[in-house]
Amino acid sequence: MIRGKIMRDTNAGPGIIFVNGEQKPFTLETHWKSSTPPRVGAVVEIGLDAQGNVATVSLVDEASLAKEQAQKALNLASENGKQYLGILVARVGMPTLVAIGLLTIAWLFFATITVQILDSYSESISFYDVLKLVNSGGNLQWVGSIKYAESGFYGFLMYAAILAPVAPHFHSNKYLQLCYCAPLIYMVGIGLSMYISIRHHVSDAQGMASGMVGQQAVEKMISEMISMTLKAISMGLGFYISALVATYLAAIGVKKYLASSATV
């Protein structure tokens, strides 16, 4: 069977189909094999006899056409994806791409920290959830409902940090080699932001008591509360994986930068 298209239907005599660059006649009574009448523009399957004349004509239903078009688009996307992936692997290198992929998984899906909210209840959140917490003001009371929060600009910076190690492979500027350090710098920055936020909230809570007790006592209470808050936070598998991968990438970046500086 080969495909063709109806150029003229059979309402006024024999119809005409366009197949293999030729126009061929067909009739409703002799050649048409579908229950739906032929219509202009419809795609059909055509059977030819030994002399190349039309033997049968059958309508190709729209569902089948849509499925075939989708499959073609999928195959094309797959071919293009393999081509671009090959280019990316050739330029960036498989070790770096694997590290970036592992970092992405660790940040998005693995538990980075666990907060002991009550003696019998704790909440584990990913690094992406930590960004939501920071974007919400860094108050640990938000941990239980953090999935409804937004990461805001911090989320954008996270993806920028993930993609940063790719940049040196598309531009020759030696300083771009330091983009490999972006994930580690970002993690450290978020950690410091969380610590400052915790200290700020504790200070606010203790500020109300400053009129009732001495300044030295208040400072001691703040220190003890910060210590207790930090003890309630433990690091998860996601933290150790991402810290290890980020350090690995940073080491590559520093090494590449020093090598490029030495050859200038």
Side-chain angles (χ1 to χ4, degrees):
M1 289 288 186
I2 56 176
R3 291 285 175 88
K5 182 175 288 189
I6 297 177
M7 306 299 293
R8 186 177 71 192
D9 59 28
T10 56
N11 287 332
I16 296 177
I17 54 176
F18 188 80
V19 55
N20 290 340
E22 297 181 288
Q23 293 183 6
K24 294 181 179 292
F26 74 99
T27 63
L28 184 67
E29 297 81 1
T30 305
H31 307 103
W32 190 250
K33 301 302 179 182
S34 295
S35 59
T36 304
R39 54 183 173 79
V40 175
V43 178
V44 292
E45 284 190 341
I46 304 156
L48 301 177
D49 60 20
Q51 289 73 39
N53 297 317
V54 174
T56 60
V57 181
S58 301
L59 181 68
V60 179
D61 64 274
E62 294 182 358
S64 298
L65 285 175
K67 184 177 180 181
E68 290 176 5
Q69 292 299 323
Q71 187 61 47
K72 287 180 181 179
L74 183 62
N75 292 339
L76 181 61
S78 178
E79 292 175 5
N80 290 338
K82 290 178 181 179
Q83 180 182 357
Y84 292 134
L85 180 61
I87 294 173
L88 190 63
V89 170
R91 297 196 70 165
V92 179
M94 185 59 75
T96 298
L97 290 177
V98 169
I100 291 174
L102 186 58
L103 180 68
T104 303
I105 293 172
W107 277 2
L108 291 177
F109 303 109
F110 289 179
T112 294
I113 63 173
T114 298
V115 181
Q116 193 71 37
I117 299 175
L118 300 173
D119 291 340
S120 58
Y121 175 70
S122 62
E123 189 78 30
S124 296
I125 59 176
S126 66
F127 183 74
Y128 185 66
D129 291 330
V130 172
L131 299 182
K132 294 180 181 179
L133 195 63
V134 174
N135 190 54
S136 301
N139 194 332
L140 293 178
Q141 293 178 353
W142 284 77
V143 169
S145 58
I146 199 64
K147 64 180 180 179
Y148 302 108
E150 299 289 339
S151 61
F153 189 62
Y154 294 99
F156 169 78
L157 291 179
M158 181 194 75
Y159 288 109
I162 288 173
L163 295 175
V166 177
H169 301 278
F170 292 88
H171 198 282
S172 59
N173 191 314
K174 68 175 183 178
Y175 295 105
L176 284 178
Q177 302 296 343
L178 296 177
C179 287
Y180 272 88
C181 303
L184 183 61
I185 293 173
Y186 190 56
M187 285 188 67
V188 172
I190 292 299
L192 289 175
S193 178
M194 279 293 296
Y195 176 79
I196 293 172
S197 181
I198 291 172
R199 187 177 181 86
H200 174 72
H201 286 295
V202 173
S203 298
D204 287 345
Q206 292 300 321
M208 296 183 294
S210 60
M212 295 180 289
V213 296
Q215 183 65 28
Q216 185 175 1
V218 170
E219 292 179 355
K220 183 178 180 181
M221 291 174 66
I222 291 175
S223 178
E224 289 177 352
M225 288 191 68
I226 292 176
S227 177
M228 291 175 61
T229 302
L230 294 178
K231 285 181 180 179
I233 300 175
S234 59
M235 301 303 167
L237 178 63
F239 169 79
Y240 295 106
I241 293 177
S242 54
L244 182 63
V245 174
T247 302
Y248 166 75
L249 289 172
I252 291 177
V254 172
K255 183 178 178 180
K256 286 178 175 288
Y257 171 73
L258 293 176
S260 61
S261 299
T263 56
V264 174

